[in-house]
């Protein structure tokens, strides 16, 4: 059912350039040849060791990078990384930061204003919502970031290991929100090292190794193989 | 992101940057006024009192040159680093790269409006009569803005490609400062060099500011037209450059 495919990744490769000496560079391939499809409403998990290019892949899917080789066809209206604290300014209050963060993610001001009350109450910041960010603790900043990012989330959501922010209580709430988003009809691509989370949430797992796809398919099978390797 | 959304976010970000900048200082927004005044005072002390240059109206002559120059120098000097400065944000979300220099130009220009108004008030208080020609000086300002935008956007890309340029720009600006007739009049230059002198658009623009503000003359429309034409070409080049390197820039600034 090709009409159901929302993102199609074909033979994608990307190399990073590193400076070697005067006017000389060397290239380090992060991804060599990656192909997979994502269907509408599906949750796809991406696993692999550190530095195999998982985050690079998410940056490619969100349109931050263009692949050097191959192509990505994306039919979604909006695809973006769940970036906590995108464009935050420490001197501005929580409200201003939520507005600018939302606008940078491509939402209209009206849409953001409509969500502001929800962001304020979800983040549980109280009066601090109107105080400069520099007066926040790390956890409070994370809460504001998470509240903003999840209330203004796109059709295809890309998540890079962000389950769990703030204190225990908020962590539970955040995890519940994430799970609800994942289990709804939203399309989610998730990168995580937590095998239990992946097994629970994903419909399919893509395992990347040495810039190539080592295996993909049913979570239990692929995760078992990954853990044995 | 559609273009109206891009402009909205540029405007919002510029406003918030100004707010953020003001929030850290004790005197907050007063610095919009104090900073240029202190700067101008230094030049005045050196050229009028220490070197004892110029005639009785030298201070007005100096200020009408200095106000547009400081705007230009600040935008070029700091704006050329704007793409490098945006590396974190570029790695988090996709955003058209023109956003970064344009935010800087906008926030600087809002302050400039304030400084320019103060200059006009100062001239009025000093006995220069406001005339219709003053309106033309606003037009000169618009031409200067239209000229500076593509210049700083191009420089920002060039610096992203070759960081080393970052060391050259302040020196070039210094050279341009001495060649723009800020503290000397065009009359002190031999006539055969006038054409050469006015190749520098800032020299020409500063001359036009003085014509309109101090001498109640209309600006040289042909000269302004030439600058606009040159700027239009630079705009085309800038837009092509940003279109072509939209994704290259993200990778370059993170290297």
């Amino acid at each position: 059912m090709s009409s159901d495919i929302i993102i199609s990744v074909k033979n994608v490769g990307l190399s990073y350039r590193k400076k070697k000496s005067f006017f000389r560079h060397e290239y380090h391939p992060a991804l060599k040849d990656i192909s997979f499809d994502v269907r509408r409403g599906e949750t796809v998990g991406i696993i692999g060791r550190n530095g195999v290019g998982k985050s690079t892949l998410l940056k490619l899917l969100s349109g931050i990078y263009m692949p050097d080789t191959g192509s990505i066809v994306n039919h979604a209206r909006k695809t973006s990384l769940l970036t906590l604290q995108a464009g935050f300014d420490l001197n501005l209050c929580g409200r201003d930061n939520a507005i600018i963060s939302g606008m940078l993610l491509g939402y209209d001001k009206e849409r953001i204003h409509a969500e502001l009350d929800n962001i304020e109450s979800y983040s549980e910041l109280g009066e601090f919502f109107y105080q400069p960010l520099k007066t926040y603790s790390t956890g409070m900043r994370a809460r504001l970031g998470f509240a903003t990012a999840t209330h203004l989330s796109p059709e295809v959501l890309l998540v890079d290991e962000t389950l769990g922010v703030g204190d225990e209580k908020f962590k539970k709430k955040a995890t519940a929100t994430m799970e609800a988003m994942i289990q709804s009809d939203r399309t989610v691509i998730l990168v995580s090292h937590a095998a239990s989370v992946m097994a629970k949430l994903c419909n399919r797992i893509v395992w990347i190794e040495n810039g190539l796809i080592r295996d993909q398919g049913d979570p239990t099978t692929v995760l078992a193989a990954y853990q044995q390797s | 992101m559609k273009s109206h959304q891009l402009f909205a976010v540029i405007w919002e970000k510029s406003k918030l940057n100004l707010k953020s900048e003001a929030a850290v200082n004790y005197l907050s927004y007063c610095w919009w006024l104090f900073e240029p005044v202190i700067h101008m005072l230094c030049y005045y002390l050196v050229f009028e009192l220490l070197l004892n240059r110029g005639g009785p109206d030298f201070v007005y002559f100096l200020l009408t040159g200095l106000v547009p120059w400081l705007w230009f120098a600040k935008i070029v000097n700091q704006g050329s680093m704007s793409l490098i400065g945006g590396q974190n944000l570029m790695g988090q979300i996709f955003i058209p790269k023109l956003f970064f220099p344009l935010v800087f130009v906008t926030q600087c220009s809002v302050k400039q409006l304030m400084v320019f108004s103060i200059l006009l008030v100062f001239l009025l208080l000093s006995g220069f009569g406001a005339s219709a020609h003053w309106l033309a000086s606003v037009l000169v300002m618009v031409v200067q803005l239209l000229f500076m935008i593509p210049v700083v956007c191009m420089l920002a890309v060039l610096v992203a490609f070759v960081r080393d340029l970052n060391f050259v720009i302040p020196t070039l600006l210094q050279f341009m400062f001495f060649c723009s007739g800020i503290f000397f009049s065009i009359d002190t230059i031999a006539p055969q060099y006038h054409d050469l002198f006015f190749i520098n658009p800032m020299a020409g623009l500063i001359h036009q500011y003085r014509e309109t503000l101090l001498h109640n003359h209309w600006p040289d429309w042909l000269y302004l037209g030439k600058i606009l034409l040159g700027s239009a070409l630079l705009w085309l080049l800038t837009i092509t450059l940003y279109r072509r390197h939209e994704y290259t820039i993200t990778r370059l600034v993170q290297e």
Side-chain angles (χ1 to χ4, degrees), chain B residues 115-145:
Chain B
V115 177
F116 192 69
S117 318
I118 292 163
L119 175 71
L120 293 187
V121 171
F122 177 72
L123 289 178
L124 263 180
L125 293 177
S126 312
F128 286 86
S131 66
H133 305 94
W134 280 29
L135 286 176
S137 74
V138 177
L139 207 71
V140 178
M141 222 172 134
V142 174
V143 173
Q144 187 184 344
L145 180 66

PDB file of all heavy atoms in Angstrom, chain B residues 115-145:
ATOM      1  N   VAL B 115      18.313  56.772  17.057  1.00  0.00           N
ATOM      2  CA  VAL B 115      19.509  57.614  17.013  1.00  0.00           C
ATOM      3  C   VAL B 115      19.334  58.722  15.974  1.00  0.00           C
ATOM      4  O   VAL B 115      19.676  59.882  16.211  1.00  0.00           O
ATOM      5  CB  VAL B 115      20.755  56.765  16.672  1.00  0.00           C
ATOM      6  CG1 VAL B 115      21.993  57.624  16.552  1.00  0.00           C
ATOM      7  CG2 VAL B 115      20.960  55.700  17.726  1.00  0.00           C
ATOM      8  N   PHE B 116      18.762  58.339  14.833  1.00  0.00           N
ATOM      9  CA  PHE B 116      18.566  59.307  13.756  1.00  0.00           C
ATOM     10  C   PHE B 116      17.595  60.413  14.197  1.00  0.00           C
ATOM     11  O   PHE B 116      17.815  61.585  13.922  1.00  0.00           O
ATOM     12  CB  PHE B 116      18.046  58.581  12.513  1.00  0.00           C
ATOM     13  CG  PHE B 116      18.087  59.411  11.272  1.00  0.00           C
ATOM     14  CD1 PHE B 116      19.290  59.758  10.688  1.00  0.00           C
ATOM     15  CD2 PHE B 116      16.910  59.861  10.683  1.00  0.00           C
ATOM     16  CE1 PHE B 116      19.331  60.532   9.527  1.00  0.00           C
ATOM     17  CE2 PHE B 116      16.937  60.632   9.526  1.00  0.00           C
ATOM     18  CZ  PHE B 116      18.154  60.968   8.952  1.00  0.00           C
ATOM     19  N   SER B 117      16.547  60.022  14.908  1.00  0.00           N
ATOM     20  CA  SER B 117      15.595  61.027  15.393  1.00  0.00           C
ATOM     21  C   SER B 117      16.295  61.996  16.340  1.00  0.00           C
ATOM     22  O   SER B 117      16.025  63.205  16.312  1.00  0.00           O
ATOM     23  CB  SER B 117      14.441  60.378  16.150  1.00  0.00           C
ATOM     24  OG  SER B 117      14.010  59.238  15.487  1.00  0.00           O
ATOM     25  N   ILE B 118      17.182  61.460  17.172  1.00  0.00           N
ATOM     26  CA  ILE B 118      17.899  62.327  18.107  1.00  0.00           C
ATOM     27  C   ILE B 118      18.798  63.302  17.361  1.00  0.00           C
ATOM     28  O   ILE B 118      18.879  64.482  17.706  1.00  0.00           O
ATOM     29  CB  ILE B 118      18.707  61.487  19.109  1.00  0.00           C
ATOM     30  CG1 ILE B 118      17.734  60.748  20.023  1.00  0.00           C
ATOM     31  CG2 ILE B 118      19.647  62.332  19.931  1.00  0.00           C
ATOM     32  CD1 ILE B 118      18.328  59.611  20.754  1.00  0.00           C
ATOM     33  N   LEU B 119      19.422  62.815  16.299  1.00  0.00           N
ATOM     34  CA  LEU B 119      20.256  63.690  15.479  1.00  0.00           C
ATOM     35  C   LEU B 119      19.402  64.840  14.920  1.00  0.00           C
ATOM     36  O   LEU B 119      19.817  66.005  14.950  1.00  0.00           O
ATOM     37  CB  LEU B 119      20.889  62.890  14.329  1.00  0.00           C
ATOM     38  CG  LEU B 119      21.686  63.701  13.315  1.00  0.00           C
ATOM     39  CD1 LEU B 119      22.987  64.206  13.916  1.00  0.00           C
ATOM     40  CD2 LEU B 119      21.995  62.885  12.059  1.00  0.00           C
ATOM     41  N   LEU B 120      18.201  64.498  14.436  1.00  0.00           N
ATOM     42  CA  LEU B 120      17.333  65.535  13.875  1.00  0.00           C
ATOM     43  C   LEU B 120      16.953  66.560  14.943  1.00  0.00           C
ATOM     44  O   LEU B 120      16.975  67.768  14.694  1.00  0.00           O
ATOM     45  CB  LEU B 120      16.065  64.903  13.281  1.00  0.00           C
ATOM     46  CG  LEU B 120      16.259  64.020  12.044  1.00  0.00           C
ATOM     47  CD1 LEU B 120      14.912  63.608  11.468  1.00  0.00           C
ATOM     48  CD2 LEU B 120      17.086  64.720  10.973  1.00  0.00           C
ATOM     49  N   VAL B 121      16.622  66.070  16.136  1.00  0.00           N
ATOM     50  CA  VAL B 121      16.254  66.979  17.226  1.00  0.00           C
ATOM     51  C   VAL B 121      17.437  67.898  17.563  1.00  0.00           C
ATOM     52  O   VAL B 121      17.283  69.109  17.725  1.00  0.00           O
ATOM     53  CB  VAL B 121      15.814  66.172  18.477  1.00  0.00           C
ATOM     54  CG1 VAL B 121      15.644  67.089  19.679  1.00  0.00           C
ATOM     55  CG2 VAL B 121      14.530  65.422  18.189  1.00  0.00           C
ATOM     56  N   PHE B 122      18.627  67.305  17.618  1.00  0.00           N
ATOM     57  CA  PHE B 122      19.830  68.066  17.921  1.00  0.00           C
ATOM     58  C   PHE B 122      20.051  69.170  16.875  1.00  0.00           C
ATOM     59  O   PHE B 122      20.358  70.315  17.210  1.00  0.00           O
ATOM     60  CB  PHE B 122      21.027  67.106  17.983  1.00  0.00           C
ATOM     61  CG  PHE B 122      22.342  67.782  18.211  1.00  0.00           C
ATOM     62  CD1 PHE B 122      22.643  68.321  19.449  1.00  0.00           C
ATOM     63  CD2 PHE B 122      23.284  67.878  17.193  1.00  0.00           C
ATOM     64  CE1 PHE B 122      23.867  68.947  19.671  1.00  0.00           C
ATOM     65  CE2 PHE B 122      24.502  68.501  17.410  1.00  0.00           C
ATOM     66  CZ  PHE B 122      24.791  69.038  18.648  1.00  0.00           C
ATOM     67  N   LEU B 123      19.858  68.808  15.605  1.00  0.00           N
ATOM     68  CA  LEU B 123      20.047  69.799  14.532  1.00  0.00           C
ATOM     69  C   LEU B 123      19.008  70.917  14.648  1.00  0.00           C
ATOM     70  O   LEU B 123      19.325  72.093  14.490  1.00  0.00           O
ATOM     71  CB  LEU B 123      19.938  69.123  13.162  1.00  0.00           C
ATOM     72  CG  LEU B 123      21.098  68.200  12.758  1.00  0.00           C
ATOM     73  CD1 LEU B 123      20.833  67.577  11.400  1.00  0.00           C
ATOM     74  CD2 LEU B 123      22.423  68.948  12.742  1.00  0.00           C
ATOM     75  N   LEU B 124      17.769  70.513  14.965  1.00  0.00           N
ATOM     76  CA  LEU B 124      16.698  71.507  15.109  1.00  0.00           C
ATOM     77  C   LEU B 124      17.028  72.487  16.228  1.00  0.00           C
ATOM     78  O   LEU B 124      16.914  73.702  16.071  1.00  0.00           O
ATOM     79  CB  LEU B 124      15.389  70.796  15.461  1.00  0.00           C
ATOM     80  CG  LEU B 124      14.421  70.488  14.314  1.00  0.00           C
ATOM     81  CD1 LEU B 124      13.192  69.797  14.854  1.00  0.00           C
ATOM     82  CD2 LEU B 124      14.051  71.760  13.561  1.00  0.00           C
ATOM     83  N   LEU B 125      17.460  71.924  17.365  1.00  0.00           N
ATOM     84  CA  LEU B 125      17.781  72.761  18.522  1.00  0.00           C
ATOM     85  C   LEU B 125      18.965  73.674  18.232  1.00  0.00           C
ATOM     86  O   LEU B 125      19.092  74.747  18.820  1.00  0.00           O
ATOM     87  CB  LEU B 125      18.099  71.893  19.742  1.00  0.00           C
ATOM     88  CG  LEU B 125      16.923  71.092  20.305  1.00  0.00           C
ATOM     89  CD1 LEU B 125      17.381  70.215  21.455  1.00  0.00           C
ATOM     90  CD2 LEU B 125      15.800  72.022  20.758  1.00  0.00           C
ATOM     91  N   SER B 126      19.838  73.236  17.316  1.00  0.00           N
ATOM     92  CA  SER B 126      21.009  74.046  17.005  1.00  0.00           C
ATOM     93  C   SER B 126      20.725  75.096  15.944  1.00  0.00           C
ATOM     94  O   SER B 126      21.644  75.762  15.478  1.00  0.00           O
ATOM     95  CB  SER B 126      22.149  73.147  16.523  1.00  0.00           C
ATOM     96  OG  SER B 126      22.305  72.076  17.394  1.00  0.00           O
ATOM     97  N   GLY B 127      19.474  75.198  15.532  1.00  0.00           N
ATOM     98  CA  GLY B 127      19.101  76.263  14.619  1.00  0.00           C
ATOM     99  C   GLY B 127      19.023  75.883  13.159  1.00  0.00           C
ATOM    100  O   GLY B 127      18.814  76.729  12.295  1.00  0.00           O
ATOM    101  N   PHE B 128      19.210  74.612  12.853  1.00  0.00           N
ATOM    102  CA  PHE B 128      19.000  74.177  11.464  1.00  0.00           C
ATOM    103  C   PHE B 128      17.501  74.021  11.252  1.00  0.00           C
ATOM    104  O   PHE B 128      16.848  73.309  12.005  1.00  0.00           O
ATOM    105  CB  PHE B 128      19.685  72.827  11.206  1.00  0.00           C
ATOM    106  CG  PHE B 128      21.173  72.928  11.109  1.00  0.00           C
ATOM    107  CD1 PHE B 128      21.957  72.871  12.250  1.00  0.00           C
ATOM    108  CD2 PHE B 128      21.794  73.084   9.873  1.00  0.00           C
ATOM    109  CE1 PHE B 128      23.332  72.972  12.171  1.00  0.00           C
ATOM    110  CE2 PHE B 128      23.176  73.181   9.796  1.00  0.00           C
ATOM    111  CZ  PHE B 128      23.944  73.128  10.943  1.00  0.00           C
ATOM    112  N   GLY B 129      16.987  74.730  10.263  1.00  0.00           N
ATOM    113  CA  GLY B 129      15.544  74.675  10.042  1.00  0.00           C
ATOM    114  C   GLY B 129      15.156  73.385   9.345  1.00  0.00           C
ATOM    115  O   GLY B 129      15.808  72.946   8.408  1.00  0.00           O
ATOM    116  N   ALA B 130      14.073  72.762   9.844  1.00  0.00           N
ATOM    117  CA  ALA B 130      13.581  71.562   9.172  1.00  0.00           C
ATOM    118  C   ALA B 130      12.943  71.987   7.854  1.00  0.00           C
ATOM    119  O   ALA B 130      12.194  72.948   7.815  1.00  0.00           O
ATOM    120  CB  ALA B 130      12.562  70.862  10.045  1.00  0.00           C
ATOM    121  N   SER B 131      13.275  71.282   6.810  1.00  0.00           N
ATOM    122  CA  SER B 131      12.677  71.615   5.516  1.00  0.00           C
ATOM    123  C   SER B 131      12.234  70.334   4.838  1.00  0.00           C
ATOM    124  O   SER B 131      12.458  69.240   5.354  1.00  0.00           O
ATOM    125  CB  SER B 131      13.705  72.326   4.638  1.00  0.00           C
ATOM    126  OG  SER B 131      14.738  71.419   4.345  1.00  0.00           O
ATOM    127  N   ALA B 132      11.619  70.472   3.686  1.00  0.00           N
ATOM    128  CA  ALA B 132      11.174  69.296   2.931  1.00  0.00           C
ATOM    129  C   ALA B 132      12.367  68.407   2.587  1.00  0.00           C
ATOM    130  O   ALA B 132      12.221  67.201   2.429  1.00  0.00           O
ATOM    131  CB  ALA B 132      10.464  69.733   1.662  1.00  0.00           C
ATOM    132  N   HIS B 133      13.541  69.029   2.512  1.00  0.00           N
ATOM    133  CA  HIS B 133      14.742  68.254   2.182  1.00  0.00           C
ATOM    134  C   HIS B 133      15.049  67.198   3.234  1.00  0.00           C
ATOM    135  O   HIS B 133      15.674  66.194   2.956  1.00  0.00           O
ATOM    136  CB  HIS B 133      15.945  69.196   2.025  1.00  0.00           C
ATOM    137  CG  HIS B 133      15.708  70.277   1.018  1.00  0.00           C
ATOM    138  ND1 HIS B 133      15.246  71.516   1.378  1.00  0.00           N
ATOM    139  CD2 HIS B 133      15.827  70.277  -0.326  1.00  0.00           C
ATOM    140  CE1 HIS B 133      15.111  72.257   0.285  1.00  0.00           C
ATOM    141  NE2 HIS B 133      15.450  71.531  -0.764  1.00  0.00           N
ATOM    142  N   TRP B 134      14.593  67.490   4.453  1.00  0.00           N
ATOM    143  CA  TRP B 134      14.828  66.519   5.523  1.00  0.00           C
ATOM    144  C   TRP B 134      14.120  65.201   5.225  1.00  0.00           C
ATOM    145  O   TRP B 134      14.599  64.140   5.594  1.00  0.00           O
ATOM    146  CB  TRP B 134      14.373  67.078   6.880  1.00  0.00           C
ATOM    147  CG  TRP B 134      15.381  68.020   7.460  1.00  0.00           C
ATOM    148  CD1 TRP B 134      16.245  68.800   6.765  1.00  0.00           C
ATOM    149  CD2 TRP B 134      15.636  68.240   8.840  1.00  0.00           C
ATOM    150  NE1 TRP B 134      17.023  69.521   7.622  1.00  0.00           N
ATOM    151  CE2 TRP B 134      16.674  69.208   8.916  1.00  0.00           C
ATOM    152  CE3 TRP B 134      15.097  67.757  10.035  1.00  0.00           C
ATOM    153  CZ2 TRP B 134      17.174  69.670  10.126  1.00  0.00           C
ATOM    154  CZ3 TRP B 134      15.593  68.211  11.243  1.00  0.00           C
ATOM    155  CH2 TRP B 134      16.636  69.166  11.287  1.00  0.00           C
ATOM    156  N   LEU B 135      12.956  65.329   4.594  1.00  0.00           N
ATOM    157  CA  LEU B 135      12.230  64.104   4.234  1.00  0.00           C
ATOM    158  C   LEU B 135      13.076  63.236   3.307  1.00  0.00           C
ATOM    159  O   LEU B 135      13.076  62.013   3.390  1.00  0.00           O
ATOM    160  CB  LEU B 135      10.914  64.448   3.539  1.00  0.00           C
ATOM    161  CG  LEU B 135       9.816  64.986   4.452  1.00  0.00           C
ATOM    162  CD1 LEU B 135       8.599  65.376   3.630  1.00  0.00           C
ATOM    163  CD2 LEU B 135       9.444  63.958   5.516  1.00  0.00           C
ATOM    164  N   ALA B 136      13.816  63.928   2.430  1.00  0.00           N
ATOM    165  CA  ALA B 136      14.665  63.190   1.492  1.00  0.00           C
ATOM    166  C   ALA B 136      15.765  62.433   2.231  1.00  0.00           C
ATOM    167  O   ALA B 136      16.228  61.395   1.766  1.00  0.00           O
ATOM    168  CB  ALA B 136      15.271  64.144   0.471  1.00  0.00           C
ATOM    169  N   SER B 137      16.164  62.952   3.408  1.00  0.00           N
ATOM    170  CA  SER B 137      17.212  62.238   4.159  1.00  0.00           C
ATOM    171  C   SER B 137      16.694  60.885   4.636  1.00  0.00           C
ATOM    172  O   SER B 137      17.463  59.934   4.784  1.00  0.00           O
ATOM    173  CB  SER B 137      17.699  63.078   5.333  1.00  0.00           C
ATOM    174  OG  SER B 137      16.736  63.088   6.353  1.00  0.00           O
ATOM    175  N   VAL B 138      15.380  60.816   4.880  1.00  0.00           N
ATOM    176  CA  VAL B 138      14.795  59.526   5.258  1.00  0.00           C
ATOM    177  C   VAL B 138      14.918  58.557   4.086  1.00  0.00           C
ATOM    178  O   VAL B 138      15.206  57.368   4.249  1.00  0.00           O
ATOM    179  CB  VAL B 138      13.319  59.703   5.677  1.00  0.00           C
ATOM    180  CG1 VAL B 138      12.703  58.354   6.005  1.00  0.00           C
ATOM    181  CG2 VAL B 138      13.211  60.638   6.872  1.00  0.00           C
ATOM    182  N   LEU B 139      14.747  59.102   2.906  1.00  0.00           N
ATOM    183  CA  LEU B 139      14.887  58.287   1.694  1.00  0.00           C
ATOM    184  C   LEU B 139      16.332  57.788   1.562  1.00  0.00           C
ATOM    185  O   LEU B 139      16.570  56.631   1.188  1.00  0.00           O
ATOM    186  CB  LEU B 139      14.519  59.150   0.488  1.00  0.00           C
ATOM    187  CG  LEU B 139      13.981  58.381  -0.702  1.00  0.00           C
ATOM    188  CD1 LEU B 139      12.590  57.861  -0.385  1.00  0.00           C
ATOM    189  CD2 LEU B 139      13.967  59.265  -1.926  1.00  0.00           C
ATOM    190  N   VAL B 140      17.281  58.663   1.888  1.00  0.00           N
ATOM    191  CA  VAL B 140      18.694  58.261   1.838  1.00  0.00           C
ATOM    192  C   VAL B 140      18.918  57.096   2.804  1.00  0.00           C
ATOM    193  O   VAL B 140      19.629  56.137   2.506  1.00  0.00           O
ATOM    194  CB  VAL B 140      19.626  59.449   2.190  1.00  0.00           C
ATOM    195  CG1 VAL B 140      21.084  59.015   2.175  1.00  0.00           C
ATOM    196  CG2 VAL B 140      19.410  60.598   1.217  1.00  0.00           C
ATOM    197  N   MET B 141      18.245  57.184   3.950  1.00  0.00           N
ATOM    198  CA  MET B 141      18.346  56.118   4.942  1.00  0.00           C
ATOM    199  C   MET B 141      17.811  54.797   4.389  1.00  0.00           C
ATOM    200  O   MET B 141      18.409  53.737   4.594  1.00  0.00           O
ATOM    201  CB  MET B 141      17.518  56.519   6.157  1.00  0.00           C
ATOM    202  CG  MET B 141      18.184  56.213   7.453  1.00  0.00           C
ATOM    203  SD  MET B 141      17.205  56.936   8.774  1.00  0.00           S
ATOM    204  CE  MET B 141      17.200  55.567   9.867  1.00  0.00           C
ATOM    205  N   VAL B 142      16.691  54.871   3.693  1.00  0.00           N
ATOM    206  CA  VAL B 142      16.110  53.666   3.101  1.00  0.00           C
ATOM    207  C   VAL B 142      17.078  53.070   2.081  1.00  0.00           C
ATOM    208  O   VAL B 142      17.319  51.855   2.061  1.00  0.00           O
ATOM    209  CB  VAL B 142      14.747  53.977   2.440  1.00  0.00           C
ATOM    210  CG1 VAL B 142      14.221  52.761   1.695  1.00  0.00           C
ATOM    211  CG2 VAL B 142      13.746  54.434   3.490  1.00  0.00           C
ATOM    212  N   VAL B 143      17.686  53.953   1.268  1.00  0.00           N
ATOM    213  CA  VAL B 143      18.657  53.463   0.276  1.00  0.00           C
ATOM    214  C   VAL B 143      19.824  52.792   0.989  1.00  0.00           C
ATOM    215  O   VAL B 143      20.274  51.711   0.594  1.00  0.00           O
ATOM    216  CB  VAL B 143      19.146  54.621  -0.629  1.00  0.00           C
ATOM    217  CG1 VAL B 143      20.269  54.157  -1.547  1.00  0.00           C
ATOM    218  CG2 VAL B 143      17.994  55.184  -1.442  1.00  0.00           C
ATOM    219  N   GLN B 144      20.287  53.420   2.069  1.00  0.00           N
ATOM    220  CA  GLN B 144      21.398  52.818   2.817  1.00  0.00           C
ATOM    221  C   GLN B 144      21.023  51.432   3.340  1.00  0.00           C
ATOM    222  O   GLN B 144      21.801  50.488   3.241  1.00  0.00           O
ATOM    223  CB  GLN B 144      21.796  53.729   3.991  1.00  0.00           C
ATOM    224  CG  GLN B 144      23.060  53.205   4.688  1.00  0.00           C
ATOM    225  CD  GLN B 144      23.448  54.002   5.928  1.00  0.00           C
ATOM    226  OE1 GLN B 144      22.976  55.124   6.145  1.00  0.00           O
ATOM    227  NE2 GLN B 144      24.315  53.427   6.740  1.00  0.00           N
ATOM    228  N   LEU B 145      19.808  51.308   3.847  1.00  0.00           N
ATOM    229  CA  LEU B 145      19.355  50.015   4.376  1.00  0.00           C
ATOM    230  C   LEU B 145      19.309  48.967   3.269  1.00  0.00           C
ATOM    231  O   LEU B 145      19.813  47.851   3.425  1.00  0.00           O
ATOM    232  CB  LEU B 145      17.967  50.172   5.019  1.00  0.00           C
ATOM    233  CG  LEU B 145      17.368  48.904   5.620  1.00  0.00           C
ATOM    234  CD1 LEU B 145      18.190  48.438   6.815  1.00  0.00           C
ATOM    235  CD2 LEU B 145      15.931  49.121   6.045  1.00  0.00           C
TER     236      LEU B 145
END
